[in-house]
Amino acid sequence: MPLSPFSSPIYVTRPILPDLKLMNEQLADIWQSRVLTNYGSKHKLFEVKVKDFLGVENLSLSVNGAVALLMALKAMELPVGSEVITTPFTFPATPHAIHWNNLKIVFCDIDPVTMCIDANKIEELITPNTSAILGVHVYGIPCDVKKIDEIAKKHNLKVIYDAAHAFNTKIDGVPIGHYGDVSMHSFHATKLFNTVEGGCLVYPDESLGLKLYRLENFGIVNEEIVADFGINGKMNELQSAMGILTIDMVKEETEKRKKIFDTYNRILSQFEGIEVMKLPENATNSYQYYVIRIHRDKCKISRNELYEKLKGFNIMARKYFYPLCTEYYCYKHIKTGPLPVANKIKNEVLCLPYYGDLGVENAEKIAEIILSLVK
Amino acid sequence: MPLSPFSSPIYVTRPILPDLKLMNEQLADIWQSRVLTNYGSKHKLFEVKVKDFLGVENLSLSVNGAVALLMALKAMELPVGSEVITTPFTFPATPHAIHWNNLKIVFCDIDPVTMCIDANKIEELITPNTSAILGVHVYGIPCDVKKIDEIAKKHNLKVIYDAAHAFNTKIDGVPIGHYGDVSMHSFHATKLFNTVEGGCLVYPDESLGLKLYRLENFGIVNEEIVADFGINGKMNELQSAMGILTIDMVKEETEKRKKIFDTYNRILSQFEGIEVMKLPENATNSYQYYVIRIHRDKCKISRNELYEKLKGFNIMARKYFYPLCTEYYCYKHIKTGPLPVANKIKNEVLCLPYYGDLGVENAEKIAEIILSLVK
């Protein structure tokens, strides 16, 4: 029996939404207090809830992940014009945060298995002008955080992680935000856990909290003292209210996504032309993205052809992360060494629809359609 | 009869809030669409409503005013390290936006009447390295926009306005955003018109819109093209929904504030030691702040003493803008010429409680208390 297209478009993600009645109750509280932002009671409660959920002590909520990453880099107080080593295989927000901080972007190749920055290729890029490493836990797969920590200590570098995809990821049972100097989680609507827009920074050193507070609130100490350069990076009360409700939904959504993950892996791993998503044994899955790799030499069609053909089935997959950041118009001028792994993988990856409400049956159908196209 | 304190604290401002039922209906729409951000239907509708309200053609909504100002400066493509002439008599967000853009802050003295940057003192600060003027329409009182335009044309400089206080201000009937290259309005909860947090940029040159769109959305052109450096400066659907409702309340709130403005002016202008708020004849009032100036030589007590004594009456006035930005810990090192006017005025100004629900009777009482303290 030929597989038929879905009746309406299936996108890569779909936000979880709390019961509207509960959200209206939250709004009623806010209307009652007339405090809409600037660290109201919703912000305070939500901060505690996220800390508890992640099992971290030091956390700052932010208006969105990109502004949070901007502040994270600013908080490191890196010399203007110094070099930050990062991955080209990421969302544009990552290198943009370096550029906006007036630092120099140095792109490093990625690991063929984790697809994160290749820790074994970082040291050869270090110069006297290098000040930091900005790693990305791409698809929630952790970077080699231990090796990166070693390199950073040896060369006196700061380590920042774009952990937008790695909310609640743990390595050997330890929250991922304990590694490096500061990590950014995103709470954007496209993420498993969302506050409409939003994000947070997590950091092992408690003293960074005051610095980040000032960076997100104009550097204000009190009515008469402004101590530091700061922008407005605050999360407001409506975002916080949303988070208070959605964080209680994460467990259930994660369980639903786990079933979809297992379904995709079970069906797609039957064919050697497709490499299914795997996490290191010592890491937990954030269930944020589900990515496959299409091995051109073993498949009937290319990743690009598969992507186009899936549209015909109303399956709107995404080629995250194609193209590489080095190919962006604004970064083309940056000289890099060869990036063979990143240049290979960018043509292999495809993110599939991945949200709880998709259901196992639809995931099965998507997997079967993919198999039928590539085999 | 001695004047008695208010029974609970009266703050400088209080946000207008739409009917909760209407807000719940907005949320129901959003829940229905499952589009929480990234230019959904609320964003589109709100943008049209703000354009219509202001009578402007080119406008970009932003997540907040500070991020908007950051993007406004970035959009000007000023040479790194070039000089931007601005006022020290403003909220810290103004100079911070220059600093975060890696530009050099040059503080100029202010006009003794408007308290905005003194257009007659700008030219003496221009060097071959000057790239822009960043004016602030402080308290909604317009800068000398025509003179500034002339200077900018003569010296080939960009002009950016921090119009956070000047929402819906018109000069000779023309929206204030028509002056200069780009103007930022704030929709923060403390503003007359609010979207919880939020803001917008207004600009006469339509072509700036695409540049700003890219700056606020990661530089993304489409799924495969990233053309420019961008952060996340987008306004989300909840903010937009709030704005759709609150913008319809602006007219009524403005009328209420006008009565308070007239009340304060009527009572406080009776005493020559107090200078009441005045706008140039060709400008409309944004009714955003109500500021008085205490002339020390004619008053029994100083502005600082008045501020403290008012607290005893539960009147929480604010010393906007004291201290000057030049006195901030982070800007102390910047060399400036003498700033005699700013240094005088910073010790005179006091912003009084100013929001529709305050009512004329309370405004009368506040004015009488002030008179009794200073006369």
Side-chain angles (χ1 to χ4, degrees), chain A residues 15-56:
Chain A
I16 53 172
L17 290 172
D19 188 288
L20 193 52
K21 210 172 141 236
L22 294 178
M23 188 62 185
N24 289 341
E25 285 170 16
Q26 290 285 328
L27 283 195
D29 291 346
I30 295 170
W31 260 234
Q32 177 77 25
S33 73
R34 282 194 178 253
V35 176
L36 301 180
T37 185
N38 295 13
Y39 310 102
S41 61
K42 297 295 175 194
H43 186 286
K44 287 193 183 82
L45 173 60
F46 179 49
E47 193 177 87
V48 171
K49 287 193 86 156
V50 186
K51 282 182 183 177
D52 285 352
F53 187 87
L54 293 179
V56 300

Side-chain angles (χ1 to χ4, degrees), chain B residues 247-293:
Chain B
I247 202 157
D248 290 339
M249 304 169 73
V250 169
K251 195 165 168 273
E252 190 186 335
E253 174 70 11
T254 304
E255 281 162 11
K256 286 183 185 170
R257 290 192 183 200
K258 185 181 181 314
K259 284 183 191 151
I260 295 166
F261 183 92
D262 292 343
T263 302
Y264 279 148
N265 269 11
R266 175 174 51 82
I267 299 172
L268 295 171
S269 65
Q270 292 166 14
F271 176 56
E272 57 169 1
I274 296 176
E275 192 171 332
V276 298
M277 189 168 173
K278 271 190 219 89
L279 276 104
E281 277 187 12
N282 65 340
T284 62
N285 194 336
S286 67
Y287 297 103
Q288 179 52 63
Y289 286 97
Y290 184 86
V291 65
I292 55 171
R293 287 165 64 177

Side-chain angles (χ1 to χ4, degrees), chain A residues 14-20 23-24 27-32 34-38 63-67 70-71 74 80 91-93 96-97 99-102 188-190 194-197 215 218-220 223-239 242 304 307 311 317-319 322-323 327-331 333 357, chain B residues 14-20 23-24 27-32 34-38 63-67 70-71 74 80 91-93 96-97 99-102 188-190 194-197 215 218-220 223-239 242 304 307 311 317-319 322-323 327-331 333 357:
Chain A
R14 193 162 144 172
I16 53 172
L17 290 172
D19 188 288
L20 193 52
M23 188 62 185
N24 289 341
L27 283 195
D29 291 346
I30 295 170
W31 260 234
Q32 177 77 25
R34 282 194 178 253
V35 176
L36 301 180
T37 185
N38 295 13
V63 65
N64 64 48
V67 169
L70 212 59
M71 295 190 296
K74 199 77 166 181
V80 168
F91 188 68
H96 288 344
H99 173 83
W100 278 64
N101 269 282
N102 203 40
H188 186 265
T190 50
N194 86 81
T195 57
V196 180
E197 297 252 11
L215 285 176
F218 308 108
I220 292 172
E223 277 192 22
E224 300 198 0
I225 298 177
V226 175
D228 207 345
F229 318 107
I231 49 173
N232 183 354
K234 288 188 298 287
M235 175 173 280
N236 69 44
E237 290 293 280
L238 266 66
Q239 292 174 299
M242 184 80 172
N304 284 354
Y307 166 82
K311 281 188 187 172
R318 293 295 296 264
K319 299 183 224 173
Y322 171 88
E327 295 166 278
Y328 296 167
Y329 182 79
C330 51
Y331 295 129
H333 65 283
D357 285 350
Chain B
R14 193 163 145 172
I16 53 172
L17 290 172
D19 188 287
L20 194 52
M23 189 63 185
N24 291 343
L27 283 194
D29 292 346
I30 296 170
W31 259 234
Q32 178 76 24
R34 280 192 180 257
V35 176
L36 301 180
T37 184
N38 294 15
V63 65
N64 64 48
V67 168
L70 212 60
M71 296 190 296
K74 199 78 166 182
V80 169
F91 188 68
H96 288 345
H99 174 83
W100 279 64
N101 270 283
N102 203 41
H188 186 266
T190 50
N194 87 83
T195 57
V196 179
E197 296 251 10
L215 285 176
F218 308 110
I220 292 172
E223 278 192 21
E224 300 198 359
I225 298 177
V226 175
D228 208 345
F229 318 108
I231 49 172
N232 183 353
K234 287 187 298 287
M235 175 173 280
N236 69 44
E237 290 293 280
L238 267 65
Q239 292 173 300
M242 184 80 171
N304 284 354
Y307 166 82
K311 281 187 186 171
R318 293 295 296 265
K319 298 183 226 172
Y322 171 89
E327 296 167 276
Y328 296 167
Y329 182 78
C330 52
Y331 296 128
H333 65 284
D357 285 351

